[in-house]
Amino acid sequence: MIDLISDTVSQPSPEMRRAMAEAPVGDSQRGEDPTVNELQAECAELLGKDAALFLPSATMANQIAYKVRTRPGDEIIMDRWSHPIHFEGAGPAVLSNVMIYPVDGDRGVFGEEEVLSAIRPDDPHAPRTRLVSIEHTNNLGGGKIWPLGAIMSVSSISHLHGLSVHMDGSRLMNAVVAAGISAREYASHVDSVTLCFTKGLGAPVGAVLAGDRDFIKEARRYQQTFGGAMRQAGIIAAGALYGVRHNVDRLAEDHANAKLLAERLAAEDGIDLSPEDVETNIVFFRVARAGMTSSEFAEKLKARGVRVGSYKGERVRAVTHLGITRDDVLRAADAVHDVLAG
Ligand SMILES: *Cc1c(COP(=O)(O)O)cnc(C)c1O
């Protein structure tokens, strides 16, 4: 099976598994796990923040950031296609009792005007706007990269209005490699950042949340509250550390493979796709003109040994990752051709 359903399906390599098996560990709830501490220090440095907290998932990292920054009844501004709206189990409502103000960006990227139009007046009828959350790269936006200028203008207008800015940088390293801009530079414009290890970086578990000292101190409290404080977590932190050290530069291969796939698919009658929209490792396309729903298409493709995702019967998503070679991509494109040929 050529598995393009997500970059989360990648398997830890033998070298990563070895690093995990040999990691020195301790009780990380007491701050005594040397591998967790090393990962946290290395990620704080990478992101240019005071401190970072190792957590079981990027979902938890985002939810803790929202919890620290808001009070019940507050509102968070984010693009309508953001991960926390669609895939985090209604976390903002359940855990922080906050509202979301969804804005219409361009595949996840919005600007100063959207922030300004979403900020509520200081009026008891309205929720209190507290935070802006940006997703870089944007997953449902097809791995779209936020231009640095857009991050800077959204962040400065938000700060001017007393709002904090959180970056869901679960896929940040894809942007770093594709745009050639450092994680530290991107993160310098926001107050907190999530970085996920289980996507392109290929680790089996975990994410970090980074920010200033006071923010991380509060985040540590909610890590405990939400049940995310672990014990000998160095075993999984070692996988994350391996991913950060060895699997960043190679993301360029995933991007080239995604581009190649996009170009092959765009040449097929019946597929709607603009290869220039593919900036990182995510390829979204439509198959309506081929006379089938995206789920029918995904089923037929699976029968030919290729797994892709289907969204709302309309969109198909294919994601490249470290388990996918250039040859796999060419075979996947051939399988798509066969499906369309009936
Ligand atoms: C995958 C992802 C998450 C959630 O990550 P988990 O570690 O699976 O909880 C959050 N945001 C974005 C943009 C993602 O791609």
Side-chain angles (χ1 to χ4, degrees), residues 11-20 35 38-39 42-43 197 200-204 234-250 322:
Q11 293 281 320
S13 64
E15 297 76 20
M16 183 183 279
R17 284 176 184 270
R18 196 168 313 120
M20 295 173 74
T35 309
E38 193 178 351
L39 173 68
E42 199 159 314
C43 289
F197 302 118
L201 301 185
I235 290 181
I236 54 176
L241 205 46
Y242 187 94
V244 167
R245 289 177 183 169
H246 301 279
N247 290 342
V248 172
D249 292 343
R250 65 151 309 285
L322 54 72

Side-chain angles (χ1 to χ4, degrees), residues 85 132 138 173 246 270 273 311 316-317 335:
I85 295 182
V132 175
N138 189 280
M173 300 318 288
H246 301 279
L273 186 161
Y311 288 85
V316 180
R317 189 183 79 159

Side-chain angles (χ1 to χ4, degrees), residues 2-124:
I2 298 172
D3 202 349
L4 301 172
I5 196 150
S6 176
D7 44 11
T8 57
V9 300
S10 61
Q11 293 281 320
S13 64
E15 297 76 20
M16 183 183 279
R17 284 176 184 270
R18 196 168 313 120
M20 295 173 74
E22 291 169 2
V25 296
D27 187 342
S28 71
Q29 253 182 53
R30 297 177 189 277
E32 293 170 1
D33 188 300
T35 309
V36 169
N37 293 345
E38 193 178 351
L39 173 68
Q40 292 180 158
E42 199 159 314
C43 289
E45 177 68 23
L46 175 76
L47 298 164
K49 297 294 180 199
D50 290 348
L53 199 56
F54 181 52
L55 297 164
S57 69
T59 296
M60 189 182 282
N62 287 338
Q63 296 307 323
I64 290 177
Y66 299 161
K67 187 71 183 169
V68 173
R69 295 294 186 201
T70 64
R71 293 294 168 268
D74 286 352
E75 194 163 63
I76 305 174
I77 297 170
M78 64 181 81
D79 181 84
R80 92 172 44 258
W81 295 110
S82 300
H83 194 278
I85 295 182
H86 300 279
F87 303 119
E88 299 189 11
V94 175
L95 301 169
S96 296
N97 311 124
V98 293
M99 305 277 288
I100 305 280
Y101 192 117
V103 298
D104 284 311
D106 171 21
R107 292 184 298 127
V109 175
F110 54 90
E112 204 173 85
E113 319 76 61
E114 283 77 19
V115 175
L116 282 174
S117 68
I119 293 175
R120 303 286 195 170
D122 181 12
D123 178 321

Side-chain angles (χ1 to χ4, degrees), residues 150-215:
I151 296 176
M152 288 166 74
S153 63
V154 159
S155 151
S156 60
I157 199 73
S158 304
H159 289 151
L160 193 67
H161 287 265
L163 311 176
S164 300
V165 182
H166 174 69
M167 176 184 284
D168 176 0
S170 290
R171 301 173 168 282
L172 175 62
M173 300 318 288
N174 291 94
V176 166
V177 169
I181 294 172
S182 71
R184 176 180 272 265
E185 169 68 39
Y186 278 131
S188 69
H189 304 286
V190 299
D191 305 296
S192 54
V193 198
T194 293
L195 174 66
C196 187
F197 302 118
T198 65
K199 307 292 169 60
L201 301 185
V205 191
V208 283
L209 176 62
D212 69 28
R213 212 168 306 286
D214 291 344
F215 172 82

